Amino acid sequence: MSDKGMKVHNIVLIGFMGCGKSTIGREIKRALGFQLIDTDAEIEARAGCRIPAIFAAEGEHGFRERESALLEELRAKDLQGTVVSTGGGAILRAKNRDTLRQIGYVVWLRANADTIYQRTKNSRSRPILQTADPRQVIEELLTQRTPLYRDCAHLVIDVGGLNRAEIVTGIVESARYFYSQL
Ligand code: S3P
């Protein structure tokens, strides 16, 4: 996968549901004065409804089409000083993984199944986890997706045991170094 044509000084957050992408995105926005684009929120705003309603009306495929189209649009925009927080499945398509790396420095916020289960068990806004055994689904999807997050990421941060400030500092310092080497 090539970084050719990569836009400078954007940070892209990837990782499983519940790993803190939206929260850390807001913190990076505050720390660096970046613009924040939360792809799930943008998809909802454009559709005029919440993600569960999109899944109900269009299926997961419809949602993925919207997600891929938005990422491609962001890539074409020549963004600067932007943090993009993505949905947990944004890395499923190879094309998206390539697009994300062209948008910016890709950081995988990695959490284990226990942490993810604890952080998502009361959420009703994630259709993929609205099943009889969400814990099992989390484990299966983590196994399936882990190589894809790894394939896409420039940097991985294990979020367990780190506070928000530590996570943000790690990302900002690493991104700075990365861009200084280009
Ligand atoms: C999904 C994750 C969600 C959202 C959608 C599908 C996934 O985003 O995009 O419900 O497939 O992992 P978060 O990771 O922000 O919860």
Side-chain angles (χ1 to χ4, degrees):
M1 209 175 288
S2 108
D3 291 331
K4 196 158 58 73
M6 177 192 228
K7 313 295 184 296
V8 286
H9 294 172
N10 298 310
I11 294 172
V12 177
L13 302 177
I14 63 169
F16 207 83
M17 294 170 269
C19 68
K21 300 179 298 282
S22 300
T23 310
I24 297 300
R26 284 193 294 272
E27 296 280 332
I28 291 174
K29 170 185 169 160
R30 190 171 315 146
L32 296 180
F34 273 25
Q35 162 190 217
L36 169 65
I37 298 175
D38 183 315
T39 60
D40 283 343
E42 184 63 25
I43 290 167
E44 289 182 329
R46 292 181 184 195
C49 61
R50 307 299 304 274
I51 286 171
I54 301 175
F55 270 69
E58 303 173 6
E60 180 175 348
H61 182 76
F63 175 78
R64 298 293 173 212
E65 291 292 296
R66 288 175 179 271
E67 189 172 53
S68 296
L70 174 60
L71 294 177
E72 178 51 31
E73 190 184 314
L74 296 179
R75 187 197 61 74
K77 248 183 177 164
D78 209 12
L79 298 167
Q80 293 282 338
T82 301
V83 53
V84 179
S85 78
T86 61
I91 44 64
L92 289 173
R93 296 181 177 181
K95 175 78 166 48
N96 288 356
R97 297 197 293 279
D98 199 34
T99 302
L100 291 168
R101 287 176 69 98
Q102 289 185 41
I103 293 173
Y105 182 64
V106 180
V107 180
W108 171 21
L109 300 181
R110 183 167 62 185
N112 63 30
D114 280 330
T115 306
I116 291 165
Y117 177 66
Q118 290 307 323
R119 291 198 191 172
T120 56
K121 66 180 180 191
N122 297 321
S123 160
R124 295 284 160 269
S125 61
R126 294 180 170 108
I128 285 176
L129 299 181
Q130 303 308 301
T131 66
D133 191 353
R135 174 79 224 216
Q136 174 74 19
V137 172
I138 289 168
E139 277 174 14
E140 284 171 12
L141 288 181
L142 261 185
T143 303
Q144 177 198 321
R145 292 178 178 184
T146 290
L148 308 181
Y149 291 123
R150 185 172 291 123
D151 176 53
C152 185
H154 292 103
L155 174 76
V156 46
I157 295 199
D158 280 307
V159 296
L162 295 180
N163 63 36
R164 283 181 200 172
E166 289 165 335
I167 295 170
V168 170
T169 304
I171 293 171
V172 169
E173 293 303 318
S174 303
R176 204 164 270 155
Y177 180 74
F178 176 81
Y179 282 116
S180 76
Q181 300 298 303
L182 287 184

CSV table of all heavy atoms in Angstrom, one decimal, residues 100-121:
chain,number,residue,atom,x,y,z
A,100,LEU,N,-7.9,5.9,3.3
A,100,LEU,CA,-7.6,6.4,4.6
A,100,LEU,C,-6.2,6.8,4.8
A,100,LEU,O,-5.8,7.9,5.3
A,100,LEU,CB,-8.0,5.4,5.7
A,100,LEU,CG,-9.5,5.2,5.9
A,100,LEU,CD1,-9.8,4.0,6.8
A,100,LEU,CD2,-10.2,6.4,6.5
A,101,ARG,N,-5.3,6.0,4.2
A,101,ARG,CA,-3.8,6.3,4.3
A,101,ARG,C,-3.5,7.5,3.4
A,101,ARG,O,-2.5,8.1,3.6
A,101,ARG,CB,-3.0,5.1,3.9
A,101,ARG,CG,-3.0,4.0,5.0
A,101,ARG,CD,-2.2,2.8,4.6
A,101,ARG,NE,-0.8,3.0,4.4
A,101,ARG,CZ,0.1,2.7,5.3
A,101,ARG,NH1,-0.3,2.1,6.5
A,101,ARG,NH2,1.4,2.9,5.1
A,102,GLN,N,-4.3,7.7,2.4
A,102,GLN,CA,-4.0,8.9,1.5
A,102,GLN,C,-4.5,10.1,2.2
A,102,GLN,O,-4.0,11.2,2.0
A,102,GLN,CB,-4.6,8.7,0.2
A,102,GLN,CG,-3.9,7.7,-0.7
A,102,GLN,CD,-4.5,7.6,-2.0
A,102,GLN,OE1,-4.8,8.6,-2.7
A,102,GLN,NE2,-4.6,6.4,-2.5
A,103,ILE,N,-5.5,10.0,3.0
A,103,ILE,CA,-6.1,11.2,3.7
A,103,ILE,C,-5.1,11.6,4.8
A,103,ILE,O,-4.9,12.8,5.0
A,103,ILE,CB,-7.4,10.8,4.4
A,103,ILE,CG1,-8.5,10.6,3.3
A,103,ILE,CG2,-7.9,12.0,5.3
A,103,ILE,CD1,-9.8,10.1,3.8
A,104,GLY,N,-4.5,10.7,5.5
A,104,GLY,CA,-3.6,11.2,6.6
A,104,GLY,C,-2.8,10.1,7.3
A,104,GLY,O,-2.8,8.9,6.9
A,105,TYR,N,-2.3,10.5,8.5
A,105,TYR,CA,-1.6,9.6,9.3
A,105,TYR,C,-2.6,8.7,10.1
A,105,TYR,O,-3.4,9.3,10.9
A,105,TYR,CB,-0.7,10.4,10.3
A,105,TYR,CG,0.2,9.6,11.2
A,105,TYR,CD1,1.2,8.8,10.7
A,105,TYR,CD2,0.0,9.7,12.6
A,105,TYR,CE1,2.1,8.2,11.6
A,105,TYR,CE2,0.9,9.1,13.5
A,105,TYR,CZ,1.9,8.3,13.0
A,105,TYR,OH,2.7,7.6,13.8
A,106,VAL,N,-2.6,7.4,9.9
A,106,VAL,CA,-3.6,6.6,10.4
A,106,VAL,C,-3.2,5.9,11.7
A,106,VAL,O,-2.2,5.2,11.8
A,106,VAL,CB,-4.0,5.5,9.3
A,106,VAL,CG1,-5.1,4.6,9.9
A,106,VAL,CG2,-4.4,6.1,8.0
A,107,VAL,N,-4.0,6.2,12.7
A,107,VAL,CA,-3.8,5.7,14.1
A,107,VAL,C,-4.8,4.7,14.5
A,107,VAL,O,-6.0,5.0,14.5
A,107,VAL,CB,-3.7,6.8,15.1
A,107,VAL,CG1,-3.5,6.3,16.5
A,107,VAL,CG2,-2.7,7.9,14.7
A,108,TRP,N,-4.4,3.5,14.8
A,108,TRP,CA,-5.3,2.4,15.3
A,108,TRP,C,-5.4,2.5,16.8
A,108,TRP,O,-4.4,2.2,17.4
A,108,TRP,CB,-4.8,1.1,14.7
A,108,TRP,CG,-5.5,-0.1,15.3
A,108,TRP,CD1,-6.8,-0.2,15.8
A,108,TRP,CD2,-5.0,-1.5,15.3
A,108,TRP,NE1,-7.0,-1.5,16.2
A,108,TRP,CE2,-5.9,-2.3,15.9
A,108,TRP,CE3,-3.7,-2.0,14.9
A,108,TRP,CZ2,-5.7,-3.7,16.0
A,108,TRP,CZ3,-3.5,-3.4,15.0
A,108,TRP,CH2,-4.5,-4.2,15.6
A,109,LEU,N,-6.5,2.8,17.3
A,109,LEU,CA,-6.8,2.7,18.7
A,109,LEU,C,-7.2,1.3,19.1
A,109,LEU,O,-8.3,0.9,18.7
A,109,LEU,CB,-7.8,3.8,19.2
A,109,LEU,CG,-7.5,5.2,18.9
A,109,LEU,CD1,-8.6,6.1,19.3
A,109,LEU,CD2,-6.2,5.6,19.5
A,110,ARG,N,-6.3,0.5,19.7
A,110,ARG,CA,-6.6,-0.9,19.9
A,110,ARG,C,-7.1,-1.1,21.3
A,110,ARG,O,-6.4,-0.6,22.3
A,110,ARG,CB,-5.3,-1.7,19.6
A,110,ARG,CG,-5.5,-3.2,19.7
A,110,ARG,CD,-4.4,-4.0,19.1
A,110,ARG,NE,-3.1,-3.7,19.8
A,110,ARG,CZ,-1.9,-4.2,19.4
A,110,ARG,NH1,-1.8,-4.9,18.3
A,110,ARG,NH2,-0.8,-3.9,20.1
A,111,ALA,N,-8.1,-1.9,21.4
A,111,ALA,CA,-8.7,-2.3,22.8
A,111,ALA,C,-9.0,-3.8,22.7
A,111,ALA,O,-9.2,-4.3,21.6
A,111,ALA,CB,-9.9,-1.5,23.1
A,112,ASN,N,-9.0,-4.4,23.9
A,112,ASN,CA,-9.3,-5.8,23.9
A,112,ASN,C,-10.9,-6.1,24.0
A,112,ASN,O,-11.6,-5.1,24.2
A,112,ASN,CB,-8.5,-6.6,25.0
A,112,ASN,CG,-8.9,-6.1,26.4
A,112,ASN,OD1,-10.0,-5.7,26.6
A,112,ASN,ND2,-7.9,-6.1,27.3
A,113,ALA,N,-11.3,-7.3,23.8
A,113,ALA,CA,-12.7,-7.6,23.8
A,113,ALA,C,-13.4,-7.3,25.1
A,113,ALA,O,-14.6,-6.8,25.1
A,113,ALA,CB,-12.9,-9.1,23.5
A,114,ASP,N,-12.7,-7.4,26.2
A,114,ASP,CA,-13.4,-7.1,27.5
A,114,ASP,C,-13.7,-5.6,27.6
A,114,ASP,O,-14.8,-5.2,28.0
A,114,ASP,CB,-12.4,-7.4,28.7
A,114,ASP,CG,-12.5,-8.9,29.0
A,114,ASP,OD1,-13.5,-9.5,28.8
A,114,ASP,OD2,-11.4,-9.4,29.4
A,115,THR,N,-12.7,-4.8,27.3
A,115,THR,CA,-12.9,-3.3,27.3
A,115,THR,C,-14.0,-2.9,26.3
A,115,THR,O,-14.9,-2.1,26.7
A,115,THR,CB,-11.5,-2.6,26.9
A,115,THR,OG1,-10.5,-3.1,27.7
A,115,THR,CG2,-11.6,-1.1,27.0
A,116,ILE,N,-14.0,-3.5,25.1
A,116,ILE,CA,-15.0,-3.1,24.1
A,116,ILE,C,-16.4,-3.5,24.6
A,116,ILE,O,-17.3,-2.7,24.5
A,116,ILE,CB,-14.6,-3.8,22.8
A,116,ILE,CG1,-13.4,-3.2,22.2
A,116,ILE,CG2,-15.8,-3.7,21.8
A,116,ILE,CD1,-12.7,-3.9,21.1
A,117,TYR,N,-16.5,-4.7,25.2
A,117,TYR,CA,-17.8,-5.2,25.7
A,117,TYR,C,-18.3,-4.2,26.8
A,117,TYR,O,-19.4,-3.8,26.7
A,117,TYR,CB,-17.7,-6.6,26.2
A,117,TYR,CG,-19.0,-7.1,26.7
A,117,TYR,CD1,-20.1,-7.2,25.9
A,117,TYR,CD2,-19.2,-7.3,28.1
A,117,TYR,CE1,-21.4,-7.6,26.4
A,117,TYR,CE2,-20.4,-7.7,28.6
A,117,TYR,CZ,-21.5,-7.9,27.8
A,117,TYR,OH,-22.7,-8.2,28.3
A,118,GLN,N,-17.4,-3.9,27.7
A,118,GLN,CA,-17.8,-3.0,28.8
A,118,GLN,C,-18.3,-1.6,28.3
A,118,GLN,O,-19.3,-1.1,28.8
A,118,GLN,CB,-16.7,-2.8,29.8
A,118,GLN,CG,-16.4,-4.0,30.7
A,118,GLN,CD,-17.6,-4.6,31.3
A,118,GLN,OE1,-18.5,-3.9,31.8
A,118,GLN,NE2,-17.7,-6.0,31.4
A,119,ARG,N,-17.6,-1.1,27.3
A,119,ARG,CA,-17.9,0.2,26.8
A,119,ARG,C,-19.1,0.3,25.9
A,119,ARG,O,-19.6,1.4,25.6
A,119,ARG,CB,-16.6,0.8,26.0
A,119,ARG,CG,-15.5,1.1,27.0
A,119,ARG,CD,-14.5,2.0,26.2
A,119,ARG,NE,-13.3,2.1,26.8
A,119,ARG,CZ,-12.2,2.7,26.3
A,119,ARG,NH1,-12.3,3.2,25.1
A,119,ARG,NH2,-11.1,2.9,26.9
A,120,THR,N,-19.5,-0.9,25.3
A,120,THR,CA,-20.6,-0.8,24.3
A,120,THR,C,-21.8,-1.5,24.8
A,120,THR,O,-22.9,-1.4,24.1
A,120,THR,CB,-20.1,-1.5,23.0
A,120,THR,OG1,-19.7,-2.9,23.3
A,120,THR,CG2,-19.0,-0.8,22.3
A,121,LYS,N,-21.8,-2.2,26.0
A,121,LYS,CA,-22.9,-3.0,26.3
A,121,LYS,C,-24.2,-2.3,26.5
A,121,LYS,O,-25.3,-2.8,26.3
A,121,LYS,CB,-22.6,-3.9,27.5
A,121,LYS,CG,-22.4,-3.2,28.8
A,121,LYS,CD,-22.1,-4.1,29.9
A,121,LYS,CE,-21.9,-3.4,31.2
A,121,LYS,NZ,-21.4,-4.1,32.3
